[in-house]
mmCIF file of all heavy atoms in Angstrom:
data_model
loop_
_atom_site.group_PDB
_atom_site.id
_atom_site.type_symbol
_atom_site.label_atom_id
_atom_site.label_comp_id
_atom_site.label_asym_id
_atom_site.label_seq_id
_atom_site.Cartn_x
_atom_site.Cartn_y
_atom_site.Cartn_z
ATOM 1 N N HIS A 1187 -77.280 -10.859 -20.240
ATOM 2 C CA HIS A 1187 -77.617 -11.767 -21.324
ATOM 3 C C HIS A 1187 -78.366 -12.980 -20.778
ATOM 4 O O HIS A 1187 -79.376 -13.402 -21.337
ATOM 5 C CB HIS A 1187 -76.347 -12.210 -22.046
ATOM 6 C CG HIS A 1187 -76.601 -13.224 -23.136
ATOM 7 N ND1 HIS A 1187 -77.172 -12.873 -24.356
ATOM 8 C CD2 HIS A 1187 -76.374 -14.564 -23.169
ATOM 9 C CE1 HIS A 1187 -77.282 -13.967 -25.088
ATOM 10 N NE2 HIS A 1187 -76.812 -15.008 -24.412
ATOM 11 N N TYR A 1230 -72.435 0.789 -23.794
ATOM 12 C CA TYR A 1230 -73.595 0.596 -22.924
ATOM 13 C C TYR A 1230 -73.647 1.646 -21.848
ATOM 14 O O TYR A 1230 -72.615 2.056 -21.302
ATOM 15 C CB TYR A 1230 -73.539 -0.783 -22.227
ATOM 16 C CG TYR A 1230 -73.948 -1.945 -23.087
ATOM 17 C CD1 TYR A 1230 -73.014 -2.919 -23.434
ATOM 18 C CD2 TYR A 1230 -75.264 -2.094 -23.495
ATOM 19 C CE1 TYR A 1230 -73.393 -4.020 -24.193
ATOM 20 C CE2 TYR A 1230 -75.649 -3.186 -24.276
ATOM 21 C CZ TYR A 1230 -74.704 -4.140 -24.626
ATOM 22 O OH TYR A 1230 -75.085 -5.206 -25.387
ATOM 23 N N SER A 1264 -78.279 0.107 -24.431
ATOM 24 C CA SER A 1264 -77.396 0.431 -25.542
ATOM 25 C C SER A 1264 -77.430 1.960 -25.815
ATOM 26 O O SER A 1264 -78.476 2.583 -25.762
ATOM 27 C CB SER A 1264 -77.835 -0.288 -26.800
ATOM 28 O OG SER A 1264 -77.070 0.112 -27.919
ATOM 29 N N LEU A 1266 -76.369 3.080 -28.742
ATOM 30 C CA LEU A 1266 -76.423 3.208 -30.193
ATOM 31 C C LEU A 1266 -77.717 3.894 -30.606
ATOM 32 O O LEU A 1266 -78.754 3.726 -29.974
ATOM 33 C CB LEU A 1266 -76.376 1.820 -30.855
ATOM 34 C CG LEU A 1266 -75.064 1.046 -30.773
ATOM 35 C CD1 LEU A 1266 -75.273 -0.363 -31.334
ATOM 36 C CD2 LEU A 1266 -73.968 1.761 -31.517
ATOM 37 N N PRO A 1267 -77.672 4.674 -31.713
ATOM 38 C CA PRO A 1267 -78.922 5.222 -32.265
ATOM 39 C C PRO A 1267 -79.862 4.085 -32.599
ATOM 40 O O PRO A 1267 -79.415 2.998 -33.007
ATOM 41 C CB PRO A 1267 -78.439 5.960 -33.531
ATOM 42 C CG PRO A 1267 -77.003 6.244 -33.285
ATOM 43 C CD PRO A 1267 -76.487 5.114 -32.443
ATOM 44 N N ILE A 1268 -81.157 4.298 -32.433
ATOM 45 C CA ILE A 1268 -82.130 3.233 -32.579
ATOM 46 C C ILE A 1268 -82.074 2.563 -33.945
ATOM 47 O O ILE A 1268 -82.201 1.341 -34.067
ATOM 48 C CB ILE A 1268 -83.568 3.769 -32.283
ATOM 49 C CG1 ILE A 1268 -84.567 2.610 -32.276
ATOM 50 C CG2 ILE A 1268 -83.963 4.836 -33.279
ATOM 51 C CD1 ILE A 1268 -84.315 1.604 -31.202
ATOM 52 N N GLU A 1269 -81.833 3.342 -35.011
ATOM 53 C CA GLU A 1269 -81.751 2.752 -36.352
ATOM 54 C C GLU A 1269 -80.567 1.803 -36.462
ATOM 55 O O GLU A 1269 -80.669 0.713 -37.039
ATOM 56 C CB GLU A 1269 -81.630 3.855 -37.420
ATOM 57 C CG GLU A 1269 -82.833 4.781 -37.515
ATOM 58 C CD GLU A 1269 -82.851 5.842 -36.411
ATOM 59 O OE1 GLU A 1269 -81.820 5.973 -35.718
ATOM 60 O OE2 GLU A 1269 -83.877 6.530 -36.266
ATOM 61 N N VAL A 1270 -79.427 2.200 -35.914
ATOM 62 C CA VAL A 1270 -78.228 1.361 -35.968
ATOM 63 C C VAL A 1270 -78.423 0.112 -35.084
ATOM 64 O O VAL A 1270 -78.042 -0.996 -35.469
ATOM 65 C CB VAL A 1270 -76.979 2.153 -35.468
ATOM 66 C CG1 VAL A 1270 -75.739 1.251 -35.439
ATOM 67 C CG2 VAL A 1270 -76.742 3.364 -36.348
ATOM 68 N N PHE A 1271 -79.042 0.299 -33.933
ATOM 69 C CA PHE A 1271 -79.295 -0.819 -33.031
ATOM 70 C C PHE A 1271 -80.180 -1.859 -33.696
ATOM 71 O O PHE A 1271 -79.894 -3.069 -33.638
ATOM 72 C CB PHE A 1271 -79.959 -0.297 -31.750
ATOM 73 C CG PHE A 1271 -80.182 -1.358 -30.708
ATOM 74 C CD1 PHE A 1271 -79.154 -1.749 -29.875
ATOM 75 C CD2 PHE A 1271 -81.427 -1.955 -30.557
ATOM 76 C CE1 PHE A 1271 -79.349 -2.715 -28.891
ATOM 77 C CE2 PHE A 1271 -81.640 -2.935 -29.592
ATOM 78 C CZ PHE A 1271 -80.590 -3.313 -28.770
ATOM 79 N N ARG A 1272 -81.257 -1.412 -34.360
ATOM 80 C CA ARG A 1272 -82.151 -2.352 -35.037
ATOM 81 C C ARG A 1272 -81.449 -3.098 -36.155
ATOM 82 O O ARG A 1272 -81.682 -4.278 -36.372
ATOM 83 C CB ARG A 1272 -83.369 -1.597 -35.582
ATOM 84 C CG ARG A 1272 -84.368 -1.155 -34.528
ATOM 85 C CD ARG A 1272 -85.442 -0.278 -35.124
ATOM 86 N NE ARG A 1272 -86.445 0.106 -34.154
ATOM 87 C CZ ARG A 1272 -87.345 1.083 -34.368
ATOM 88 N NH1 ARG A 1272 -87.364 1.734 -35.513
ATOM 89 N NH2 ARG A 1272 -88.231 1.360 -33.422
ATOM 90 N N LYS A 1273 -80.596 -2.407 -36.903
ATOM 91 C CA LYS A 1273 -79.964 -3.008 -38.069
ATOM 92 C C LYS A 1273 -78.858 -3.983 -37.705
ATOM 93 O O LYS A 1273 -78.723 -5.051 -38.336
ATOM 94 C CB LYS A 1273 -79.372 -1.891 -38.941
ATOM 95 C CG LYS A 1273 -78.747 -2.398 -40.234
ATOM 96 C CD LYS A 1273 -78.267 -1.257 -41.102
ATOM 97 C CE LYS A 1273 -77.641 -1.771 -42.407
ATOM 98 N NZ LYS A 1273 -77.184 -0.646 -43.276
ATOM 99 N N HIS A 1274 -78.060 -3.667 -36.682
ATOM 100 C CA HIS A 1274 -76.867 -4.452 -36.387
ATOM 101 C C HIS A 1274 -76.915 -5.277 -35.113
ATOM 102 O O HIS A 1274 -76.045 -6.155 -34.935
ATOM 103 C CB HIS A 1274 -75.652 -3.526 -36.330
ATOM 104 C CG HIS A 1274 -75.376 -2.816 -37.622
ATOM 105 N ND1 HIS A 1274 -74.867 -3.473 -38.739
ATOM 106 C CD2 HIS A 1274 -75.557 -1.518 -37.992
ATOM 107 C CE1 HIS A 1274 -74.710 -2.588 -39.723
ATOM 108 N NE2 HIS A 1274 -75.135 -1.401 -39.302
ATOM 109 N N VAL A 1275 -77.842 -4.997 -34.216
ATOM 110 C CA VAL A 1275 -77.829 -5.664 -32.916
ATOM 111 C C VAL A 1275 -79.042 -6.562 -32.690
ATOM 112 O O VAL A 1275 -78.906 -7.704 -32.234
ATOM 113 C CB VAL A 1275 -77.756 -4.622 -31.751
ATOM 114 C CG1 VAL A 1275 -77.762 -5.333 -30.400
ATOM 115 C CG2 VAL A 1275 -76.502 -3.767 -31.913
ATOM 116 N N VAL A 1276 -80.220 -6.076 -33.026
ATOM 117 C CA VAL A 1276 -81.459 -6.810 -32.735
ATOM 118 C C VAL A 1276 -81.459 -8.131 -33.490
ATOM 119 O O VAL A 1276 -81.214 -8.177 -34.694
ATOM 120 C CB VAL A 1276 -82.692 -5.974 -33.118
ATOM 121 C CG1 VAL A 1276 -83.956 -6.831 -32.989
ATOM 122 C CG2 VAL A 1276 -82.797 -4.743 -32.231
ATOM 123 N N GLU A 1277 -81.747 -9.199 -32.793
ATOM 124 C CA GLU A 1277 -81.863 -10.526 -33.375
ATOM 125 C C GLU A 1277 -83.321 -10.838 -33.653
ATOM 126 O O GLU A 1277 -84.213 -10.374 -32.954
ATOM 127 C CB GLU A 1277 -81.289 -11.583 -32.429
ATOM 128 C CG GLU A 1277 -79.813 -11.371 -32.085
ATOM 129 C CD GLU A 1277 -79.330 -12.369 -31.062
ATOM 130 O OE1 GLU A 1277 -80.125 -13.247 -30.678
ATOM 131 O OE2 GLU A 1277 -78.142 -12.295 -30.695
ATOM 132 N N GLU A 1278 -83.558 -11.657 -34.686
ATOM 133 C CA GLU A 1278 -84.926 -12.018 -35.024
ATOM 134 C C GLU A 1278 -85.635 -12.695 -33.875
ATOM 135 O O GLU A 1278 -86.831 -12.574 -33.687
ATOM 136 C CB GLU A 1278 -84.935 -12.917 -36.267
ATOM 137 C CG GLU A 1278 -84.540 -12.201 -37.550
ATOM 138 C CD GLU A 1278 -84.704 -13.081 -38.772
ATOM 139 O OE1 GLU A 1278 -85.235 -14.216 -38.612
ATOM 140 O OE2 GLU A 1278 -84.297 -12.674 -39.862
ATOM 141 N N THR A 1279 -84.878 -13.446 -33.074
ATOM 142 C CA THR A 1279 -85.491 -14.192 -31.965
ATOM 143 C C THR A 1279 -85.993 -13.259 -30.867
ATOM 144 O O THR A 1279 -86.878 -13.643 -30.094
ATOM 145 C CB THR A 1279 -84.475 -15.180 -31.358
ATOM 146 O OG1 THR A 1279 -83.283 -14.473 -30.990
ATOM 147 C CG2 THR A 1279 -84.099 -16.281 -32.371
ATOM 148 N N THR A 1280 -85.414 -12.041 -30.754
ATOM 149 C CA THR A 1280 -85.848 -11.119 -29.696
ATOM 150 C C THR A 1280 -86.903 -10.127 -30.183
ATOM 151 O O THR A 1280 -87.539 -9.483 -29.366
ATOM 152 C CB THR A 1280 -84.641 -10.334 -29.157
ATOM 153 O OG1 THR A 1280 -84.061 -9.556 -30.214
ATOM 154 C CG2 THR A 1280 -83.589 -11.277 -28.593
ATOM 155 N N SER A 1281 -87.082 -10.019 -31.474
ATOM 156 C CA SER A 1281 -88.031 -9.044 -31.999
ATOM 157 C C SER A 1281 -89.461 -9.259 -31.498
ATOM 158 O O SER A 1281 -90.150 -8.277 -31.171
ATOM 159 C CB SER A 1281 -88.000 -9.060 -33.538
ATOM 160 O OG SER A 1281 -86.728 -8.621 -34.008
ATOM 161 N N PRO A 1282 -89.991 -10.513 -31.473
ATOM 162 C CA PRO A 1282 -91.369 -10.695 -30.981
ATOM 163 C C PRO A 1282 -91.542 -10.202 -29.538
ATOM 164 O O PRO A 1282 -92.561 -9.599 -29.232
ATOM 165 C CB PRO A 1282 -91.568 -12.201 -31.070
ATOM 166 C CG PRO A 1282 -90.632 -12.643 -32.152
ATOM 167 C CD PRO A 1282 -89.431 -11.774 -31.992
ATOM 168 N N MET A 1283 -90.544 -10.427 -28.661
ATOM 169 C CA MET A 1283 -90.665 -9.982 -27.273
ATOM 170 C C MET A 1283 -90.629 -8.470 -27.208
ATOM 171 O O MET A 1283 -91.344 -7.871 -26.390
ATOM 172 C CB MET A 1283 -89.527 -10.586 -26.434
ATOM 173 C CG MET A 1283 -89.726 -10.377 -24.938
ATOM 174 S SD MET A 1283 -91.229 -11.186 -24.321
ATOM 175 C CE MET A 1283 -91.328 -10.470 -22.674
ATOM 176 N N THR A 1284 -89.839 -7.844 -28.092
ATOM 177 C CA THR A 1284 -89.830 -6.379 -28.125
ATOM 178 C C THR A 1284 -91.203 -5.853 -28.529
ATOM 179 O O THR A 1284 -91.716 -4.902 -27.933
ATOM 180 C CB THR A 1284 -88.768 -5.885 -29.109
ATOM 181 O OG1 THR A 1284 -87.467 -6.378 -28.722
ATOM 182 C CG2 THR A 1284 -88.726 -4.373 -29.152
ATOM 183 N N GLY A 1285 -91.791 -6.470 -29.542
ATOM 184 C CA GLY A 1285 -93.138 -6.072 -29.982
ATOM 185 C C GLY A 1285 -94.166 -6.292 -28.902
ATOM 186 O O GLY A 1285 -95.047 -5.425 -28.674
ATOM 187 N N PHE A 1288 -93.796 -3.480 -26.202
ATOM 188 C CA PHE A 1288 -94.380 -2.194 -26.588
ATOM 189 C C PHE A 1288 -95.904 -2.262 -26.661
ATOM 190 O O PHE A 1288 -96.582 -1.274 -26.345
ATOM 191 C CB PHE A 1288 -93.779 -1.729 -27.901
ATOM 192 C CG PHE A 1288 -92.467 -1.014 -27.740
ATOM 193 C CD1 PHE A 1288 -91.276 -1.697 -27.776
ATOM 194 C CD2 PHE A 1288 -92.420 0.332 -27.495
ATOM 195 C CE1 PHE A 1288 -90.063 -1.075 -27.588
ATOM 196 C CE2 PHE A 1288 -91.217 0.997 -27.297
ATOM 197 C CZ PHE A 1288 -90.038 0.299 -27.348
ATOM 198 N N ARG A 1374 -90.692 6.329 -27.173
ATOM 199 C CA ARG A 1374 -90.858 5.280 -28.182
ATOM 200 C C ARG A 1374 -92.228 4.649 -28.105
ATOM 201 O O ARG A 1374 -92.825 4.299 -29.116
ATOM 202 C CB ARG A 1374 -89.766 4.218 -28.009
ATOM 203 C CG ARG A 1374 -88.374 4.690 -28.448
ATOM 204 C CD ARG A 1374 -87.312 3.675 -28.138
ATOM 205 N NE ARG A 1374 -87.516 2.444 -28.866
ATOM 206 C CZ ARG A 1374 -86.836 1.323 -28.682
ATOM 207 N NH1 ARG A 1374 -85.866 1.289 -27.750
ATOM 208 N NH2 ARG A 1374 -87.073 0.250 -29.401
#
Side-chain angles (χ1 to χ4, degrees):
H1187 177 74
Y1230 281 114
S1264 174
L1266 291 173
I1268 186 63
E1269 296 80 10
V1270 177
F1271 184 81
R1272 286 173 178 167
K1273 183 176 180 180
H1274 298 288
V1275 179
V1276 173
E1277 301 176 2
E1278 290 186 7
T1279 54
T1280 61
S1281 295
M1283 191 62 192
T1284 301
F1288 276 91
R1374 288 175 63 188

